[in-house]
């Protein structure tokens, strides 16, 4: 729980704007990089300063050793140069463990120098406030060490240089980070300015209901792609709104006739007394009109759900056609048989559920009027795919023709077949909503309806 609270506080502390978060991310990345470079620089500098101190010690020790003559009997002779004041600073010369020459040095440093005699080449560092580094160089006569030269150098100048470099690099790093943060905020603000402008325009359009679109314009590729996607989304939303308006208009238009019938029959019943037969006829008329209204509502709402609930998909027509044929045989075992014909690999760019909803009203219509057989065919065309439902019945009367697709329109209302005359209208609505259409073929024997759909 405590960890979650800490994470929650960290999230709350983050800037709320994208500009602030990107600037903070750039600052964090630059901080890590500058810190790594600063540490690496100071480590390398410390090593370099240490190497310089060692080089100075070795040079001085070699110069002092060049003035010493080692004798085979163990003695040494120091040949003093004309001006050896530079060599005498921090320099000890020992014969064995006895100091032949020694500088004026603190007692602690003197003890360290004494301890380096007779031990070969060695380095040693003295601690404390005035730290020094010592170097011992043996003086040999043949294979025998007869003396030792010890030199010392103060580390204060090197450490001062290291501290100054550390402070300078830290200050430079802080200035660099401040510049990176301000520059990143400025750059991000300028980069996001088109996005802010697009947001302002979208808010204005939403208030005014305007039909403008962003377009690609003179934008970077990423923003141009975003604008294109937003335009496509706005187009889809506009299409949905238009569809809803058409849906409302269609619902109002389709319900007007049965509602007027109900109102008329109700007024007729209340305006004058009628006999039992008349009352029964009025009741039947009202019930029929109510049933028609229910069918109209179910049909239009089913079409609306098909548009909004079914995402674009792909449909393998051979498998769908055989599935529809199996359902047809199970639901209507006494109906004329349904045969399927088509190629082996035909794909429509519509989901199977939507294609099935298109076909079922056509098959129901064919089943009602067929004499001996119903046929479902499908094929690939240059413009897409086509499905055709054909029956060997009397066909659509020429005087009715394409009007058979009008909602509530039946070729012969007194033919004894069930149905509200809405199936073909629903099927055509679904086809057109999917980018296709349904047409009646007047040249065919019997009734033939052709469904055209985009290819998958």
């Amino acid at each position: 729980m405590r960890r979650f609270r800490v994470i929650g506080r960290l999230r709350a502390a983050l800037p709320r704007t994208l500009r602030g978060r990107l600037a903070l991310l750039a600052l964090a990345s630059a901080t890590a990089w500058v810190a790594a470079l600063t540490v690496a620089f100071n480590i390398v500098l410390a090593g370099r300063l240490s190497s310089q101190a060692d080089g100075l010690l070795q040079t001085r020790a070699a110069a002092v050793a060049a003035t010493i003559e080692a004798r085979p009997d163990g003695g040494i002779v120091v040949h003093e140069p004309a001006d050896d004041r530079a060599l005498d600073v921090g320099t000890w010369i020992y014969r064995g463990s006895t100091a032949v020459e020694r500088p004026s040095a603190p007692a602690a440093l003197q003890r360290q120098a004494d301890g380096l005699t007779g031990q070969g080449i060695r380095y040693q560092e003295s601690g404390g406030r005035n730290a020094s580094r010592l170097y011992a160089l043996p003086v040999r006569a043949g294979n025998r060490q007869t003396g030792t030269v010890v030199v010392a150098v103060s580390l204060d100048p090197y450490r001062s240089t290291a501290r100054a470099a550390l402070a300078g690099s830290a200050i430079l790093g802080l200035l660099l980070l401040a510049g990176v943060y301000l520059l990143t905020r400025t750059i991000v603000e300028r980069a996001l300015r088109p996005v802010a402008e697009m947001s302002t325009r979208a808010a204005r359009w939403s208030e005014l209901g305007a039909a403008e679109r962003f377009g690609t314009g003179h934008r970077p590729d990423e923003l141009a792609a975003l604008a294109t996607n937003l335009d496509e989304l706005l187009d889809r939303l506009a299409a949905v709104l238009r569809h809803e308006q058409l849906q409302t208009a269609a619902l109002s238009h389709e319900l007007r006739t049965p509602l007027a019938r109900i109102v008329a029959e109700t007024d007729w019943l209340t305006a004058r007394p009628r006999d039992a037969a008349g009352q029964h006829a009025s009741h039947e008329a009202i019930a029929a009109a109510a049933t028609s209204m229910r069918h109209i509502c179910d049909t239009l709402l089913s079409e609306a759900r098909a548009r909004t609930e079914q995402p674009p998909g792909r449909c393998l027509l051979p498998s769908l056609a055989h599935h529809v044929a199996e359902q047809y045989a199970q639901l209507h075992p006494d109906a004329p048989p349904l045969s399927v014909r088509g190629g082996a690999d035909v794909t429509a760019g519509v989901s199977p559920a939507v294609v099935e909803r298109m076909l079922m009203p056509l098959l129901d219509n064919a089943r009602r009027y067929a004499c001996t057989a119903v046929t479902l065919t499908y094929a690939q065309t240059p413009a897409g795919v086509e499905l055709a439902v054909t029956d060997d019945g009397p066909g659509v009367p020429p005087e009715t023709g394409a009007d058979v697709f009008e909602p509530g329109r039946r070729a012969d209302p007194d033919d004894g077949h069930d149905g509200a005359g809405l199936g073909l209208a629903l099927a055509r609505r679904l086809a057109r909503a999917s980018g296709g259409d349904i047409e009646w073929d007047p040249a065919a024997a019997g009734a033939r309806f052709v469904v055209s759909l985009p290819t998958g």
Side-chain angles (χ1 to χ4, degrees):
M1 292 297 293
R2 184 177 180 182
R3 182 180 65 181
F4 292 143
R5 285 196 296 269
V6 171
I7 294 176
R9 290 172 185 168
L10 290 176
R11 288 180 178 175
L14 289 175
R16 299 184 64 85
T17 62
L18 179 60
R19 181 185 65 175
R21 293 193 177 189
L22 290 176
L24 184 61
L25 179 61
L27 178 63
S29 302
T31 300
W33 179 241
V34 169
L37 290 179
T38 302
V39 171
F41 168 75
N42 284 273
I43 290 175
V44 172
L45 179 62
R48 183 63 179 169
L49 292 175
S50 178
S51 177
Q52 288 181 357
D54 292 343
L56 178 60
L57 289 172
Q58 293 173 8
T59 302
R60 287 181 57 192
V64 173
T67 65
I68 300 174
E69 179 183 353
R71 295 182 176 179
D73 59 357
I76 61 173
V77 177
V78 178
H79 300 284
E80 297 288 346
D83 186 5
D84 62 348
R85 286 178 296 177
L87 297 179
D88 289 340
V89 177
T91 302
W92 289 262
I93 300 175
Y94 292 90
R95 183 178 60 245
S97 59
T98 303
V100 176
E101 289 186 9
R102 67 172 60 189
S104 177
L109 187 61
Q110 181 65 54
R111 288 192 298 269
Q112 282 188 308
D114 294 340
L116 291 174
T117 59
Q119 299 185 19
I121 298 176
R122 287 192 60 190
Y123 290 94
Q124 192 170 1
E125 194 168 305
S126 66
R129 218 171 144 187
N130 298 319
S132 299
R133 187 165 177 81
L134 294 88
Y135 173 67
L137 179 65
V139 178
R140 299 181 181 275
N143 293 328
R144 178 183 176 188
Q145 181 175 347
T146 59
T148 306
V149 175
V150 179
V151 292
V153 65
S154 176
L155 295 179
D156 289 342
Y158 299 97
R159 293 186 175 180
S160 177
T161 301
R163 287 193 295 268
L166 178 60
S169 59
I171 294 173
L172 180 62
L174 291 176
L175 294 176
L176 178 62
L177 292 177
V180 167
Y181 181 74
L182 295 176
L183 184 61
T184 302
R185 283 183 65 91
T186 302
I187 293 175
V188 171
E189 182 179 5
R190 291 182 59 120
L192 293 179
R193 190 174 298 165
V195 179
E197 294 175 356
M198 292 171 65
S199 176
T200 303
R201 292 169 61 184
R204 185 173 66 253
W205 294 345
S206 64
E207 293 176 358
L208 302 177
E212 287 87 350
R213 295 294 182 265
F214 294 106
T216 55
H218 299 286
R219 298 188 179 94
D221 293 342
E222 296 82 0
L223 293 182
L226 174 62
T228 301
N229 293 332
L230 290 176
D231 288 343
E232 292 178 356
L233 177 61
L234 291 174
D235 291 338
R236 287 194 292 269
L237 291 176
V240 170
L241 291 176
R242 288 195 301 269
H243 172 71
E244 295 300 327
Q245 293 172 353
L246 293 174
Q247 186 75 20
T248 303
L251 186 63
S252 175
H253 174 75
E254 300 300 336
L255 292 178
R256 187 177 293 115
T257 300
L259 184 60
R261 180 69 181 275
I262 292 175
V263 172
E265 292 293 340
T266 303
D267 292 341
W268 186 269
L269 284 174
T270 57
R272 66 173 68 180
R274 302 181 69 180
D275 56 15
Q279 291 183 0
H280 180 70
S282 294
H283 291 162
E284 286 187 345
I286 293 173
T291 301
S292 176
M293 290 177 65
R294 179 173 63 82
H295 281 300
I296 292 171
C297 291
D298 291 342
T299 300
L300 295 178
L301 292 177
S302 175
E303 187 268 339
R305 284 193 297 269
R307 280 186 60 93
T308 57
E309 294 179 0
Q310 294 295 332
R314 301 174 72 248
C315 173
L316 294 174
L317 294 185
S319 59
L320 175 69
H322 288 89
H323 171 71
V324 169
E326 292 175 0
Q327 282 191 326
Y328 178 92
Q330 293 175 0
L331 295 175
H332 310 289
D334 298 330
L338 172 64
S339 59
V340 176
R341 300 174 186 172
D345 187 13
V346 181
T347 304
V350 185
S351 63
V354 175
V355 178
E356 184 175 345
R357 289 188 181 185
M358 297 178 199
L359 293 177
M360 293 313 293
L362 302 179
L363 292 174
D364 286 340
N365 187 74
R367 171 184 59 83
R368 295 189 185 102
Y369 296 99
C371 297
T372 59
V374 178
T375 305
L376 171 61
T377 60
Y378 56 88
Q380 191 87 35
T381 66
V385 296
E386 283 187 356
L387 299 94
V389 176
T390 308
D391 64 73
D392 59 352
V396 179
E399 61 274 13
T400 301
D403 294 340
V404 73
F405 290 105
E406 294 182 2
R409 181 65 181 269
R410 295 180 57 186
D412 184 4
D414 299 325
D415 57 8
H417 294 287
D418 57 343
L422 298 172
L424 296 179
L426 172 60
R428 172 173 270 188
R429 283 178 181 270
L430 292 175
R432 290 180 174 177
S434 303
D437 202 354
I438 297 181
E439 296 179 351
W440 165 62
D441 184 4
R448 184 173 185 267
F449 294 91
V450 180
V451 182
S452 58
L453 295 174
T455 184

